[in-house]
Amino acid sequence: MHPLLQHMAQFTTLSPPLAAAVCQRAHHHHFQKGELLHAADTVCRRTYWIQQGLVRIYFNKDGRLVTDGFAAENQWMTSAYSFMRGVPDAYAIAAIEPTQAYSLSLEDLLDLFDRFHEMERFGRVLMSAQFLEQSERLNSLRFTSPAEKYQHFCAHYRPILARLPLGMIASYLGITPETLSRVRAKG
């Protein structure tokens, strides 16, 4: 079975016509470490499902790269506002390590949602999970200490923690690398 279909089957029933339509529309990509999946200040035209590898989404704030999120195997990544609105935004997406991904355009997704109820369910389940994840992150950033932020991060990203550069983790948490070092030293 196609790897993307295996992923989708965890969330919804896939009819043979939907499976065929997804396989027809999904594009396969290979990205080298450091290669951009999406460049800042452009319209993000695709959403990416990471089959293998690791990517991050980030923006440039006064010459400093600020990490806003990570996606690894079996996760999705896009610059959501740009993707959904069709406008440029400040976010870029880059491979942290060699990455294989499948992508779909917004037009393809909307067509699949219109034509297949089970695809609409898949989208709803993923969007709900994404909303909850973002809510948890905002609460962590607003209401917790650096140590608590790091504990939350470790719990959420444990499977990929060893693959992430510490500077990107500190940036994601909104703390300095020095503060992250102190937090990690205290255990």
Side-chain angles (χ1 to χ4, degrees):
M1 180 184 269
H2 190 284
L4 180 55
L5 297 179
Q6 287 178 332
H7 166 71
M8 293 173 66
Q10 297 172 48
F11 302 96
T12 192
T13 304
L14 296 175
S15 65
L18 172 58
V22 169
C23 288
Q24 179 183 20
R25 294 164 187 258
H27 294 216
H28 189 252
H29 307 268
H30 294 273
F31 299 102
Q32 298 303 312
K33 180 179 178 177
E35 188 175 350
L36 291 177
L37 287 71
H38 166 65
D41 303 318
T42 65
V43 175
C44 188
R45 303 260 179 222
R46 307 197 72 77
T47 184
Y48 296 89
W49 175 72
I50 309 304
Q51 179 184 11
Q52 181 180 350
L54 180 60
V55 301
R56 75 168 172 152
I57 187 166
Y58 63 95
F59 60 94
N60 187 324
K61 174 73 171 161
D62 300 325
R64 186 175 50 93
L65 300 183
V66 179
T67 299
D68 197 51
F70 303 99
E73 291 79 12
N74 294 310
Q75 295 180 317
W76 289 85
M77 176 63 76
T78 194
S79 183
Y81 187 85
S82 177
F83 182 71
M84 297 300 295
R85 296 284 185 174
V87 297
D89 69 7
Y91 289 94
I93 303 170
I96 297 173
E97 58 188 40
T99 298
Q100 291 185 47
Y102 286 91
S103 71
L104 292 165
S105 71
L106 180 61
E107 294 78 17
D108 286 338
L109 278 178
L110 293 176
D111 182 60
L112 292 170
F113 291 155
D114 285 344
R115 292 177 44 214
F116 300 98
H117 175 70
E118 64 268 38
M119 185 67 180
E120 195 173 38
R121 181 188 185 321
F122 172 74
R124 189 176 65 249
V125 169
L126 281 184
M127 293 309 292
S128 295
Q130 182 68 25
F131 178 77
L132 290 173
E133 183 179 315
Q134 287 299 318
S135 294
E136 285 180 19
R137 176 157 187 243
L138 284 174
N139 286 336
S140 176
L141 288 173
R142 289 181 179 158
F143 305 118
T144 61
S145 68
E148 291 167 326
K149 285 176 179 51
Y150 183 66
Q151 290 168 353
H152 180 265
F153 181 84
C154 288
H156 185 74
Y157 285 105
R158 184 157 313 284
I160 63 170
L161 192 59
R163 295 161 59 187
L164 295 171
L166 292 179
M168 289 182 192
I169 295 172
S171 172
Y172 176 83
L173 296 175
I175 61 178
T176 66
E178 295 78 17
T179 299
L180 179 59
S181 293
R182 283 193 298 275
V183 166
R184 288 171 41 103
K186 289 180 182 177

